[in-house]
Amino acid sequence: MKRVLGVGIQWAASLGLVLTAWKWWLAPNTPRVFLRGPEEVGDRLVLWATNGQLLEMVRPTLVEALLGLGIGAALGIVTACLVTLMPSFVGKVIEPAVVALYAAPKFAIIPLIYIWLGGGLVPRVIFVVIGVFAIIFVNTVSGIRTVDPDLIRAVQLHGASRRQVASKVLIPHAMGYVSTALTFSASYALLIAIAAEMLFGTTEGIGGTLTSASGSFEATSVIAAIVVATALAALLTGAATAFGSRATWVEQRSPARQSSVQQ
Amino acid sequence: VSDEAAVPRAPNYDSAGADARRRTTAYDWQGLSARLFAVATVLAVWQWIPTSLVPEFAISRPVDTFRSLWDMAWDGTLGPNVVASLKGLAMGLIFGAPLGVAIAVLLRIRGIGWLLEPLVTLCNAIPKVALISFFVLWLGISETSHLALVLSFVIFIFCYNMRQAMDEVDPNRLTSFRLFGADQLQLARLLIFPSSIPYLLAAVRIAVPLAFSAQVFAELRIPTTYGLGSLLGTSAQALDGAGAMAVMIVVAMFGYLFDIVIGKRLSAYARRIGTVGDLR
């Protein structure tokens, strides 16, 4: 309780400092085109919240991020399992392709998707899926690959079947990697959803709001939209962290926990 | 404690392919043929995919794309654009790395750290791409806007890695340095800076691909005269599928190159000078 209070005071002091500097030093000394006072941004946020614009703005972005996260994570985990558990021609074909996709700047394919499918909700979700898929795939693969082979051999010596090796050793070990990647991907999915909205030239979502606001030189709306995006990112990361700590319950029983906890 | 939840660590970037390569000593002919097969399949599908499925102006054909790439490379289109993008990336790292490290050190000072800590956490939580709209108001349609966006990515990576480095300095060594009477400056010069090098190398490993990605995004969003993203945007807008695909290939090649060169070489170097654990 005391600790919570301490953190609260720290945040209040920090935010108070920023808002004070912004209102009485930064805002009066900058042209009003560039920066307005915090109270105007607050008013804009209240206005958005009351006239329903906030909800309308957040909904498409959230749908893209969550759908992209769900589909991308599912595809990534399944593909990673396929690649690692059948170490054959399949894996050697798929893996370098996905690693290349992971390393390349993904924003470069947006113009291609745009020409091909337009700038609607579906192409944007597809883009988020691609981004999330690569991250989850790479992390799941390294989760499965870093299992201690001696541990597997030991379990097999004790008569474990393939299925038991998977359920008692491989999956619990890989879970730590997957949940870390999921936590990271939650805010990343939001980021690339906003980026996609900006590059697809739509007026929907947070990205669309940002584009039109900066196009018409409305500094207040730009800052307000950035505040909304940040709040949403914090919310998503918090939810993913909570989900991750629940999903890793298997991990606690695993002897492999020690080696994955560092991640 | 709450900061840990708000700031997720980047996932393990060390690709699994590197592990596999390290283990096998003989050359992996099967892997090579598999890759060649994959490339051949992709090229074949790309060349003969029916236009009813994917319009030709969208993805062009491999033959046209490579012809376009060849032309761009020799008629001087590609050169200045590549240079502009790489320059942006280099500037982002050159300015961003010291700034990030400086912020991490600043946060160590008791009072300042207490006051600024939430601010840094908050700024790191901002989806950075959104900031481009803000930068364009302030800095206009210019390379400076691109640089600002790249910096916003790079600074935090170096800040958090430097911070982790300072947190994880060997406590026994710290005690013995203090016992032998080292002052703060000596401590920083002889212990903290040397032991933070692996962490900073890890930061480079994470920052380079991310900064390149941010650079391309900024160029796509705010096209200037030169830059790979700008070139890509103009080609796509002119419905020049072959040109757009050619630029995309160049961008992907650079991304892959950075991954190989910086990832593998830097990891190997860090391992040689004795990193604790793996590079993230």
Side-chain angles (χ1 to χ4, degrees), chain A residues 10 14 34 102 139 141 198, chain B residues 11 13 16 30 114-115 133 137:
Chain A
Q10 190 186 7
S14 189
F34 293 158
Y102 177 72
N139 277 279
V141 166
M198 292 174 113
Chain B
Y13 279 76
Q30 199 200 349
W114 183 84
L115 202 57
S133 302
L137 285 185

Side-chain angles (χ1 to χ4, degrees), chain A residues 72-115:
Chain A
L75 276 178
I77 292 171
V78 169
T79 320
C81 289
L82 281 180
V83 165
T84 46
L85 301 181
M86 337 172 158
S88 62
F89 209 64
V90 188
K92 280 177 178 163
V93 172
I94 297 175
E95 202 182 318
V98 184
V99 172
L101 177 74
Y102 177 72
K106 278 166 279 294
F107 298 123
I109 50 170
I110 285 188
L112 174 86
I113 301 180
Y114 183 69
I115 300 180

Side-chain angles (χ1 to χ4, degrees), chain A residues 162-182:
Chain A
R162 269 179 74 89
R163 206 163 133 194
Q164 281 171 320
V165 169
S167 69
K168 302 272 185 219
V169 182
L170 278 180
I171 293 174
H173 180 83
M175 249 347 234
Y177 284 74
V178 174
S179 71
T180 313
L182 268 178

Side-chain angles (χ1 to χ4, degrees), chain A residues 3 10-11 14 18 30 34 92-93 102 105 107-108 112 115-116 139 141 145 184 191 198 210-211 217 230, chain B residues 1 11-13 16 30 38 54 57-59 114-115 118-119 126 128-129 132-133 137-138 212 220-221 232 248:
Chain A
R3 177 173 236 159
Q10 190 186 7
W11 275 81
S14 189
V18 174
T30 13
F34 293 158
K92 280 177 178 163
V93 172
Y102 177 72
F107 298 123
L112 174 86
I115 300 180
W116 186 5
N139 277 279
V141 166
R145 289 269 165 81
F184 175 80
L191 181 127
M198 292 174 113
L210 279 165
T211 308
F217 278 90
T230 310
Chain B
V1 186
N12 188 352
Y13 279 76
Q30 199 200 349
V54 188
F57 61 81
I59 59 163
W114 183 84
L115 202 57
L119 190 60
I126 298 175
K128 308 285 186 315
V129 290
I132 193 83
S133 302
L137 285 185
W138 281 72
F212 187 52
L220 275 168
R221 177 71 190 76
L232 180 59
M248 246 177 60

Side-chain angles (χ1 to χ4, degrees), chain A residues 61-244:
Chain A
T61 310
L62 202 60
V63 166
E64 287 152 28
L66 290 180
L67 267 182
L69 193 63
I71 301 172
L75 276 178
I77 292 171
V78 169
T79 320
C81 289
L82 281 180
V83 165
T84 46
L85 301 181
M86 337 172 158
S88 62
F89 209 64
V90 188
K92 280 177 178 163
V93 172
I94 297 175
E95 202 182 318
V98 184
V99 172
L101 177 74
Y102 177 72
K106 278 166 279 294
F107 298 123
I109 50 170
I110 285 188
L112 174 86
I113 301 180
Y114 183 69
I115 300 180
W116 186 5
L117 301 169
L121 191 72
V122 176
R124 283 180 266 151
V125 172
I126 290 176
F127 179 68
V128 180
V129 166
I130 293 171
V132 171
F133 166 76
I135 289 189
I136 300 283
F137 173 85
V138 169
N139 277 279
T140 311
V141 166
S142 49
I144 295 173
R145 289 269 165 81
T146 50
V147 172
D148 187 0
D150 290 338
L151 189 64
I152 294 181
R153 231 165 283 139
V155 177
Q156 278 169 340
L157 270 180
H158 285 284
S161 63
R162 269 179 74 89
R163 206 163 133 194
Q164 281 171 320
V165 169
S167 69
K168 302 272 185 219
V169 182
L170 278 180
I171 293 174
H173 180 83
M175 249 347 234
Y177 284 74
V178 174
S179 71
T180 313
L182 268 178
T183 314
F184 175 80
S185 302
S187 58
Y188 182 71
L190 183 72
L191 181 127
I192 52 179
I194 294 173
E197 284 163 356
M198 292 174 113
L199 293 185
F200 278 126
T202 170
T203 51
E204 287 170 34
I206 298 175
T209 309
L210 279 165
T211 308
S212 46
S214 76
S216 53
F217 278 90
E218 276 187 77
T220 320
S221 294
V222 171
I223 299 171
I226 292 176
V227 171
V228 171
T230 310
L232 207 57
L235 215 67
L236 275 177
T237 307
T241 313
F243 178 74

Side-chain angles (χ1 to χ4, degrees), chain B residues 170-218:
Chain B
D170 186 358
N172 291 331
R173 280 200 197 168
L174 199 65
T175 316
S176 44
F177 267 71
R178 288 219 172 106
L179 273 178
F180 280 101
D183 58 33
Q184 287 290 324
L185 206 67
Q186 283 173 318
L187 217 58
R189 191 164 55 92
L190 296 171
L191 177 64
I192 296 170
F193 180 66
S195 59
S196 68
I197 292 203
Y199 294 87
L200 295 180
L201 289 178
V204 174
R205 167 94 168 93
I206 301 169
V208 170
L210 212 57
F212 187 52
S213 193
Q215 176 77 23
V216 171
F217 170 78

